[in-house]
Amino acid sequence: MSHRSPLTTPLSRRHILSTALGGTALLALSACGATDSSSGSSASPSGSPASGTAPTDSFPVSITHAWGSTTIPKAPTRIATTGWSGEDAVLALGVLPVGMPRANYGQVDKNGMLAWTARAVTKLGGTGDKLPKVYDETDSINTEAISDTEPDLILGISSGVTKEQYATLSEIAPTIPYTSKIPWGATWRDVMRVTAKAMGHTSAGEKVIADCERTMVSAIAKYKGLKGRSAAVMWFDPKKLSTLTIYTTGDARPAYLTDLGFTTPASVAKQSQGAAFYKEISAENADVYSDVDIIVSYGDPKTLLPLLQKDPLISRIPAVKRGSVAVIEDNSELASAVSPSVLSIPSQVGPYAAALARAAEKLS
């Protein structure tokens, strides 16, 4: 299953310029600006860049990753993605991927895409026979479907691609698996920067990142009560409150909170040492999180917090007891955006900041 459902382990247990850049600069501006404006450019059905978006960097390009190094001999024109949000970074640079994984968490449309991805695909002319191929990766990487797209580059920067899967994918096309220290550890900046390097658009990629950063600063600045607060992302199984799950500092979700100006609680930093992107904790130790001001979690906003507050162990967490919990509704647009991309940030950072602010009100 996709890493970005509320809780998924690598074993599938449960669960983001100058006129010389042409159309690329225009699309980069729309990717993480204050609005979802479009450059109006189009793309060919082969997945080649839109008119005016020729790469600005020289090739070949070599990228170091978890399983070694991959050399991309020439500018790619047919890009397939695997893992989380890779397609958004490609789209932000003005290119329609030839293939991408079906989204399996949040509000997914009939084509298997999240709203911000679908809008970008449409703006680049991705309709009808120009629609990228969408394949199911619920259980594992769909190497056959990826091969069918005839890619000349495969990007899995935010993924858990194993060494064996990397070898198989590399037989199809040059492949970039995760470049972070741990599987699924790439932040939205990582995904954007590595994608831009692989595509020959490093300057445009930095422009996208800068626009995202400005958008986040603007969104969070509206809520003075968030300044100086600590926050953590947790997951609670309503049917099994004997444990809770903390997302570590190696995961994109806590990293997003840091981007928004929150501090990392010492308890979370300690639990993150040597851990993967999440760690399961016995509820008997719940009170260790007394230094967490705000908790972000997934679930039913109407029922989850009251349930946690009634639990004799979980309710020992001060943030739970006072109600400083931002419960993000399952299968909502915001649920997917808690793990951000360069396209989800401008779409959902406003609602996210508002949800965090409501949780912070309980602190006063």
Side-chain angles (χ1 to χ4, degrees), residues 64-193:
T64 302
H65 49 72
W67 307 120
S69 178
T70 296
T71 297
I72 304 168
K74 60 181 180 179
T77 60
R78 298 183 60 83
I79 302 172
T81 67
T82 184
W84 177 259
S85 79
E87 60 277 1
D88 286 2
V90 175
L91 289 161
L93 293 174
V95 176
L96 274 175
V98 292
M100 66 179 75
R102 177 183 178 84
N104 64 4
Y105 186 69
Q107 289 188 359
V108 182
D109 72 6
K110 64 180 181 180
N111 294 317
M113 300 180 193
L114 298 171
W116 45 86
T117 304
R119 286 193 291 268
V121 167
T122 299
K123 289 173 184 178
L124 284 171
T127 60
D129 59 1
K130 296 181 180 180
L131 191 71
K133 180 179 178 63
V134 177
Y135 31 81
D136 189 356
E137 290 192 343
T138 301
D139 296 320
S140 185
I141 295 173
N142 195 331
T143 54
E144 183 176 352
I146 291 174
S147 179
D148 287 346
T149 68
E150 300 180 358
D152 56 10
L153 177 64
I154 302 169
L155 296 176
I157 303 159
S158 179
S159 75
V161 172
T162 66
K163 189 173 183 179
E164 293 73 19
Q165 290 169 331
Y166 167 68
T168 300
L169 292 171
S170 294
E171 293 179 1
I172 300 170
T175 298
I176 311 297
Y178 64 94
T179 55
S180 48
K181 292 181 180 180
I182 60 174
W184 302 108
T187 67
W188 63 271
R189 287 185 186 84
D190 297 331
V191 176
M192 188 69 256
R193 286 198 171 108

Side-chain angles (χ1 to χ4, degrees):
M1 295 181 70
S2 167
H3 158 60
R4 298 307 171 184
S5 56
L7 179 61
T8 305
T9 74
L11 297 177
S12 298
R13 184 168 60 90
R14 291 178 303 206
H15 344 38
I16 171 205
L17 285 159
S18 66
T19 55
L21 292 178
T24 298
L26 290 174
L27 192 52
L29 284 169
S30 70
C32 251
T35 64
D36 270 330
S37 60
S38 171
S39 65
S41 52
S42 61
S44 75
S46 67
S48 59
S51 176
T53 63
T56 58
D57 304 341
S58 59
F59 283 83
V61 168
S62 294
I63 297 176
T64 302
H65 49 72
W67 307 120
S69 178
T70 296
T71 297
I72 304 168
K74 60 181 180 179
T77 60
R78 298 183 60 83
I79 302 172
T81 67
T82 184
W84 177 259
S85 79
E87 60 277 1
D88 286 2
V90 175
L91 289 161
L93 293 174
V95 176
L96 274 175
V98 292
M100 66 179 75
R102 177 183 178 84
N104 64 4
Y105 186 69
Q107 289 188 359
V108 182
D109 72 6
K110 64 180 181 180
N111 294 317
M113 300 180 193
L114 298 171
W116 45 86
T117 304
R119 286 193 291 268
V121 167
T122 299
K123 289 173 184 178
L124 284 171
T127 60
D129 59 1
K130 296 181 180 180
L131 191 71
K133 180 179 178 63
V134 177
Y135 31 81
D136 189 356
E137 290 192 343
T138 301
D139 296 320
S140 185
I141 295 173
N142 195 331
T143 54
E144 183 176 352
I146 291 174
S147 179
D148 287 346
T149 68
E150 300 180 358
D152 56 10
L153 177 64
I154 302 169
L155 296 176
I157 303 159
S158 179
S159 75
V161 172
T162 66
K163 189 173 183 179
E164 293 73 19
Q165 290 169 331
Y166 167 68
T168 300
L169 292 171
S170 294
E171 293 179 1
I172 300 170
T175 298
I176 311 297
Y178 64 94
T179 55
S180 48
K181 292 181 180 180
I182 60 174
W184 302 108
T187 67
W188 63 271
R189 287 185 186 84
D190 297 331
V191 176
M192 188 69 256
R193 286 198 171 108
V194 178
T195 299
K197 181 176 180 180
M199 293 175 62
H201 287 302
T202 54
S203 293
E206 290 302 317
K207 184 67 170 69
V208 173
I209 290 170
D211 286 343
C212 283
E213 291 171 341
R214 284 192 291 270
T215 300
M216 290 187 294
V217 169
S218 176
I220 212 72
K222 298 177 181 179
Y223 305 101
K224 304 303 180 184
L226 297 178
K227 187 175 181 179
R229 300 300 188 183
S230 67
V233 185
M234 300 181 181
W235 187 75
F236 304 91
D237 185 344
K239 298 179 180 179
K240 184 189 174 187
L241 291 181
S242 59
T243 62
L244 61 92
T245 296
I246 180 78
Y247 289 98
T248 70
T249 54
D251 185 74
R253 283 161 274 215
Y256 191 19
L257 289 173
T258 302
D259 283 339
L260 294 173
F262 291 90
T263 62
T264 300
S267 59
V268 175
K270 183 177 180 179
Q271 295 285 359
S272 298
Q273 294 176 11
F277 67 85
Y278 77 98
K279 189 170 184 178
E280 198 168 82
I281 306 295
S282 170
E284 294 180 351
N285 299 316
D287 56 353
V288 73
Y289 299 111
S290 60
D291 57 350
V292 179
D293 290 332
I294 298 170
I295 293 173
V296 177
S297 192
Y298 302 92
D300 185 337
K302 295 181 180 179
T303 63
L304 181 61
L305 181 56
L307 182 65
L308 299 180
Q309 290 176 324
K310 291 178 182 178
D311 186 85
L313 297 178
I314 300 295
S315 62
R316 292 163 60 190
I317 303 175
V320 170
K321 186 175 182 178
R322 66 175 171 261
S324 301
V325 182
V327 181
I328 310 302
E329 185 173 4
D330 284 324
N331 296 316
S332 63
E333 284 194 20
L334 183 53
S336 295
V338 171
S339 293
S341 77
V342 292
L343 297 185
S344 73
I345 289 172
S347 172
Q348 293 297 311
V349 70
Y352 194 25
L356 293 165
R358 288 192 293 272
E361 290 175 357
K362 304 294 183 177
L363 284 158
S364 56

